[in-house]
């Protein structure tokens, strides 16, 4: 009888918590969407709304997550702001993780903090490595990606070796192929980079772009890099043209990708390598039309065509 009573109380408790959480989520969602609409450029109204919600829902992981994000963005406003807001950001992010430890978004936010913040405000290598290990217990691939970020920040000389080792564990992962390709490109191994970018881009007729935003972004970025790599190397120009055409066709403004203006600028460079004067002019004009006025590097490139 005693065991049944305990189980009944526990069941009632969880039912109450779940009902409250569902109601809480329904009440919060429109206000969280308002915060999202203000980010990243309108921090004042975003912060005021977040702080009001934090008073009302101090134990809600989403509210604490946005608290961490907003105070984190505030750290970029100067040294004094960084010293004041970094501890607030860390406290909120760590609380979001504690409230919902299986949420990968919160775990990655904590990793970002430890990677970017100095030890004086609770960041640094030790915590970043520990957090990457935590992430690996939840998801092996995400843990591998997290560990690579730690190596890139704190042990850059071993980054290529770590990437190569990661590729043996996850040989079909476009994000890893893209990263290793970029590393080889930076080292001047354009042939090796070209192979990896082509594999990550998945340009074969029977290979569709992933529905997963991060993987899709990696595949599209790899298409861009096939073309950019051809500009740098002066070889594989036709591959570069075809790949950039595929990039422009599938460009997604909701993903973090090289801008279309730069895609057309690189196409103009490829057309020049291909002795296609009409193509050079067409893509140069598109790049000029789409480019940001303050993008000095873009317009300097276009002037050299």
């Amino acid at each position: 009888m005693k065991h049944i009573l305990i189980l009944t109380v526990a069941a009632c408790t969880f039912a109450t918590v779940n009902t409250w959480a569902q109601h809480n989520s329904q009440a919060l969602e429109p206000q969280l969407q308002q915060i999202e609409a203000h980010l990243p450029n309108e921090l004042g109204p975003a912060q005021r709304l977040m702080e009001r919600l934090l008073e009302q829902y101090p134990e809600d992981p989403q509210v604490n997550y946005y608290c961490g994000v907003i105070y984190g963005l505030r750290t970029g406003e100067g040294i004094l702001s960084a010293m004041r807001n970094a501890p607030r950001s860390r406290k909120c992010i760590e609380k979001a993780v504690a409230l919902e430890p299986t949420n990968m978004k919160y775990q990655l936010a904590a990793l970002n903090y430890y990677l970017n913040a100095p030890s004086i405000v609770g960041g640094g290598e030790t915590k970043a490595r520990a957090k990457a290990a935590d992430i690996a217990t939840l998801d092996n691939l995400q843990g591998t990606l997290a560990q690579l970020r730690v190596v890139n920040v704190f042990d850059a000389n071993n980054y290529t070796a770590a990437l190569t080792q990661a590729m043996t564990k996850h040989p079909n992962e476009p994000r890893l192929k893209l990263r290793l390709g970029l590393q080889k490109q930076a080292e001047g191994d354009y042939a090796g980079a070209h192979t990896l970018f082509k594999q990550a881009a998945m340009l074969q007729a029977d290979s569709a772009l992933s529905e997963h935003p991060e993987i899709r972004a990696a595949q599209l970025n790899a298409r861009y890099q096939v073309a950019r790599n051809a500009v740098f190397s002066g070889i594989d120009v036709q591959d570069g043209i075809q790949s950039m055409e595929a990039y422009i066709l599938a460009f997604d403004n909701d993903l973090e990708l090289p801008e279309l203006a730069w895609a057309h600028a690189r196409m103009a460079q490829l057309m020049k390598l291909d002795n296609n004067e009409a193509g050079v002019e067409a893509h140069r004009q598109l790049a000029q039309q789409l480019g940001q006025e303050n993008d000095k590097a873009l317009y300097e490139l276009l002037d050299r065509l």
Side-chain angles (χ1 to χ4, degrees):
M1 177 67 98
K2 183 176 179 181
H3 290 122
I4 293 173
L5 178 61
I6 291 171
L7 289 170
T8 303
V9 171
C12 291
T13 303
F14 283 119
T16 303
V17 169
N18 288 336
T19 302
W20 177 87
Q22 184 177 7
H23 174 75
N24 192 36
S25 176
Q26 291 172 350
L28 271 173
E29 189 59 34
Q31 298 176 84
L32 295 174
Q33 289 177 1
Q34 289 181 45
I35 292 177
E36 191 72 41
H38 287 303
L39 297 177
N41 298 318
E42 299 173 341
L43 292 180
Q47 182 173 334
R48 287 191 291 273
L49 180 55
M50 174 272 292
E51 289 175 344
R52 186 165 70 247
L53 291 178
L54 199 60
E55 289 181 3
Q56 294 177 270
Y57 307 98
E59 301 303 310
D60 186 272
Q62 290 188 90
V63 175
N64 279 277
Y65 166 75
Y66 278 106
C67 169
V69 169
I70 291 166
Y71 284 136
L73 289 169
R74 285 287 194 196
T75 63
E77 297 175 339
I79 294 177
L80 292 177
S81 180
M83 296 302 293
R84 181 173 63 253
N85 289 305
R88 297 173 179 174
S89 177
R90 177 172 62 87
K91 180 180 177 182
C92 286
I93 290 171
E94 289 180 344
K95 186 166 184 179
V97 170
L99 289 166
E100 196 174 332
T102 59
N103 188 302
M104 188 60 68
K105 180 171 70 172
Y106 305 158
Q107 292 282 1
L108 291 173
L111 176 67
N112 285 338
Y113 184 90
Y114 300 142
L115 286 172
N116 291 294
S119 57
I120 194 172
V121 289
E125 182 176 1
T126 300
K127 288 196 171 182
R129 289 191 181 277
K131 181 51 60 184
D134 291 342
I135 291 169
T137 65
L138 298 174
D139 185 297
N140 185 263
L141 174 58
Q142 287 291 341
T144 297
L145 294 170
Q147 288 159 3
L148 283 171
R149 293 181 63 194
V150 173
V151 172
N152 195 28
V153 172
F154 297 109
D155 190 17
N157 289 336
N158 289 318
Y159 184 59
T160 300
L163 264 172
T164 304
Q165 184 178 5
M167 283 278 295
T168 64
K169 292 170 61 179
H170 306 281
N172 299 315
E173 174 52 52
R175 286 168 288 186
L176 291 175
K177 291 179 179 179
L178 173 64
R179 293 184 190 195
L180 185 56
L182 288 168
Q183 190 69 9
K184 287 187 176 296
Q185 185 185 75
E187 295 168 355
D189 181 3
Y190 298 120
H194 177 75
T195 298
L196 287 160
F197 292 147
K198 286 270 286 186
Q199 292 172 355
M202 299 190 71
L203 286 166
Q204 299 91 341
D206 60 343
S207 298
L209 287 166
S210 172
E211 294 298 319
H212 188 292
E214 286 186 16
I215 298 176
R216 188 182 186 89
Q219 291 172 325
L220 286 171
N221 202 331
R223 293 181 178 185
Y224 179 91
Q225 295 301 333
V226 169
R228 181 171 176 262
N229 195 66
V231 170
F232 293 164
S233 68
I235 57 177
D236 301 309
V237 171
Q238 291 304 317
D239 273 357
I241 291 171
Q242 293 172 14
S243 188
M244 191 62 90
E245 287 174 344
Y247 175 82
I248 292 170
L249 185 64
F251 181 81
D252 187 340
N253 207 42
D254 292 332
L255 300 176
E256 189 172 338
L257 296 168
E259 297 172 4
L260 272 178
W262 273 96
H264 285 291
R266 295 302 187 192
M267 275 290 276
Q269 290 179 298
L270 288 167
M271 291 294 174
K272 188 172 183 178
L273 289 169
D274 197 41
N275 297 313
N276 184 336
E277 294 183 9
V280 172
E281 185 58 23
H283 286 286
R284 188 182 66 80
Q285 289 184 13
L286 286 167
Q288 286 182 324
Q289 292 169 15
L290 295 169
Q292 301 292 324
E293 290 183 4
N294 62 351
D295 193 342
K296 184 179 178 182
L298 174 68
Y299 289 101
E300 287 179 349
L301 183 155
L302 296 175
D303 287 340
R304 292 195 299 269
L305 288 171

